[in-house]
Amino acid sequence: MPIPEDVTGEEIDKDVRQELQSLPKTLADDVARNLVMVARLLDEDAETAYAYAKVALRLASRVAAVREAAGFAAYANQEFAEALAEFRAARRMTGAVDLWPVMADCERGLGRPEKALDMAGAPEVHKLDKAGQVEMRLVAAGARRDMGQLDAAIVTLQSPELASNAAQPWSARLRYAYADALLAAGRENEAREWFAKAVEVDRDGSTDASDRLAEMDGVDFVDALDEGENEYEAEAEQDGEAEQDRSEPGSGPAAADGTGRPAQD
């Protein structure tokens, strides 16, 4: 896989760089550059990021950071079985629990929501930081919805974090998930309120809450570029019709008084 010359490998997190020190320097640099490409492309081109992750994995499969990166790349491509295997490998190497929620979500992706719920009740959840616990709650609510348990999903999301007015990194996604569950349950007024609350804290556009809110309010957005093209086409059509009118005797506004000028009122 080609890597741009401006990618040196120094861009990666210092903790990852430290993990790579167990490798020969040239190899470590190659792995680092591939990991940089994974991070760069994961959101905009998940398939290519996945390809870079596989290269890094082939070069350094015994490095936990590489297994984790490969897991996220597979997850982004909905390769849930592979993602789960990589996350499990990374966890065995480090003993950390921070991947627990995404591992549970892989179980959902594999059609095993019951397993995801079992993981949501496991002791590992208590070892997660606040962000991880909120993520686990989101996964558990999703599993409830997978099983058709809408009311249970709504209750799962009800928490001190949801009720808090403080804007946290997870606030927009938590409020959005709650609004979406309420809407699925037919509670439209409450859903609209929570979509609006999600918009209030979604400063980086991590959800489409504003679009969902507009949809509920009956607002129809028109793409400015498309609108301009339509206006141009309409004007061109009108010009063509006017040209045709001028070429036909006895037609068009200029024929009203025979002077070549529009008839005056």
Side-chain angles (χ1 to χ4, degrees):
M1 295 289 294
I3 298 177
E5 293 183 1
D6 66 314
V7 176
T8 65
E10 295 295 331
E11 301 91 339
I12 63 173
D13 184 86
K14 64 179 181 179
D15 292 335
V16 177
R17 169 60 69 177
Q18 188 171 0
E19 279 192 64
L20 295 178
Q21 287 180 356
S22 61
L23 303 173
K25 187 178 187 313
T26 302
L27 179 58
D29 289 342
D30 287 344
V31 174
R33 295 178 73 213
N34 278 282
L35 292 180
V36 171
M37 295 306 297
V38 174
R40 279 190 179 185
L41 297 171
L42 194 59
D43 291 334
E44 61 186 61
D45 187 354
E47 187 175 351
T48 304
Y50 188 33
Y52 281 107
K54 286 184 175 180
V55 174
L57 190 61
R58 187 172 66 248
L59 295 173
S61 62
R62 295 185 180 182
V63 176
V66 172
R67 303 302 290 265
E68 183 175 330
F72 277 111
Y75 178 80
N77 284 274
Q78 298 187 10
E79 298 288 345
F80 298 115
E82 184 176 344
L84 185 57
E86 297 301 338
F87 290 142
R88 283 173 173 168
R91 184 168 180 269
R92 283 195 301 270
M93 293 175 179
T94 65
V97 298
D98 54 304
L99 293 173
W100 197 253
V102 71
M103 290 168 62
D105 205 39
C106 287
E107 296 287 2
R108 285 186 62 212
L110 291 168
R112 301 193 292 247
E114 298 89 349
K115 177 62 176 177
L117 286 176
D118 288 343
M119 293 180 69
E124 283 83 353
V125 176
H126 301 293
K127 300 176 183 178
L128 294 169
D129 60 14
K130 181 61 68 176
Q133 290 179 5
V134 171
E135 194 65 34
M136 193 72 247
R137 190 178 291 276
L138 288 167
V139 173
R144 290 292 185 188
R145 291 190 62 173
D146 294 342
M147 299 167 67
Q149 301 174 2
L150 285 175
D151 290 340
I154 291 170
V155 171
T156 298
L157 293 168
Q158 292 171 346
S159 61
E161 292 80 19
L162 179 67
S164 174
N165 291 323
Q168 300 290 347
W170 59 78
S171 297
R173 292 179 60 238
L174 183 58
R175 294 179 184 187
Y176 181 93
Y178 189 58
D180 194 47
L182 289 168
L183 187 60
R187 296 161 60 174
E188 294 188 6
N189 290 337
E190 294 172 87
R192 190 200 177 286
E193 175 187 351
W194 281 96
F195 276 129
K197 289 184 177 181
V199 171
E200 290 175 0
V201 293
D202 192 6
R203 298 183 178 89
D204 59 357
S206 61
T207 74
D208 64 347
S210 59
D211 293 340
R212 298 290 298 276
L213 187 61
E215 182 181 346
M216 293 187 73
D217 289 342
V219 178
D220 186 18
F221 290 106
V222 177
D223 188 281
L225 182 59
D226 291 342
E227 189 177 51
E229 290 177 351
N230 291 337
E231 289 177 356
Y232 176 80
E233 291 172 359
E235 289 176 1
E237 184 177 347
Q238 289 174 359
D239 290 344
E241 291 174 353
E243 183 67 28
Q244 182 178 0
D245 289 342
R246 286 194 293 272
S247 67
E248 296 178 0
S251 65
D257 64 0
T259 64
R261 298 188 300 274
Q264 301 297 315
D265 293 335

